[in-house]
Amino acid sequence: MPVSKVLLVDDEPHIRRIGELSLKGVGKWKVVLASSGHEALDAAARESPDVILLDVMMPGMDGQETLGELRAREVTAAIPIIFMTAKVQKHEVDRYRELGAAGVIPKPFDPMSLPGQILDILASYASTRA
């Protein structure tokens, strides 16, 4: 699945900045940033990204609630969502996939390999949905 635009959702400014530099510099993708679940809902509907990178732990609307809202809205229901989290034990990752996430990228992530991880997850996700 080709990627040209990524929505990165994280409440931590430094994670957004590092992710943006990685996705633009290494991935050569357009990057849209959001700092909360509520911002993500608006940005996803407005920007139609190819994929959403979504932090699990955020104040207010967390990543799991945000995923649920994105899936419930027709305009964003089909966008692949990849969680980014430090919580990557097998049962946690299994739970995220049950919720509809395409995959999980562990935090802290390697900025040089982040775009490749995204492409690998999307390729795997597309093959399971074909």
Side-chain angles (χ1 to χ4, degrees):
M1 149 175 209
V3 174
S4 62
K5 187 188 299 185
V6 179
L7 171 57
L8 172 59
V9 186
D10 200 296
D11 62 308
E12 296 288 335
H14 66 282
I15 297 290
R16 288 194 309 272
R17 184 69 181 133
I18 293 167
E20 180 181 30
L21 290 171
S22 167
L23 299 171
K24 281 183 174 179
V26 179
K28 307 294 185 212
W29 298 327
K30 180 177 180 192
V31 180
V32 178
L33 300 173
S35 62
S36 70
H38 292 289
E39 280 185 27
L41 297 177
D42 293 338
R46 183 180 64 247
E47 297 285 341
S48 298
D50 300 306
V51 63
I52 299 172
L53 294 183
L54 182 58
D55 185 20
V56 171
M57 305 278 288
M58 295 185 292
M61 180 184 284
D62 69 15
Q64 295 174 56
E65 291 174 275
T66 304
L67 181 141
E69 283 293 319
L70 289 164
R71 290 289 177 252
R73 297 175 182 203
E74 187 176 338
V75 70
T76 57
I79 301 171
I81 297 170
I82 299 172
F83 276 131
M84 295 191 314
T85 182
K87 296 182 174 234
V88 291
Q89 292 183 15
K90 182 178 181 340
H91 72 278
E92 292 164 326
V93 171
D94 290 345
R95 173 78 178 121
Y96 302 144
R97 288 208 170 104
E98 286 170 15
L99 292 171
V104 177
I105 292 176
K107 280 179 161 182
F109 56 85
D110 174 3
M112 296 308 291
S113 64
L114 181 61
Q117 288 178 284
I118 292 167
L119 292 173
D120 289 347
I121 288 170
L122 291 176
S124 176
Y125 182 68
S127 71
T128 63
R129 298 179 64 84

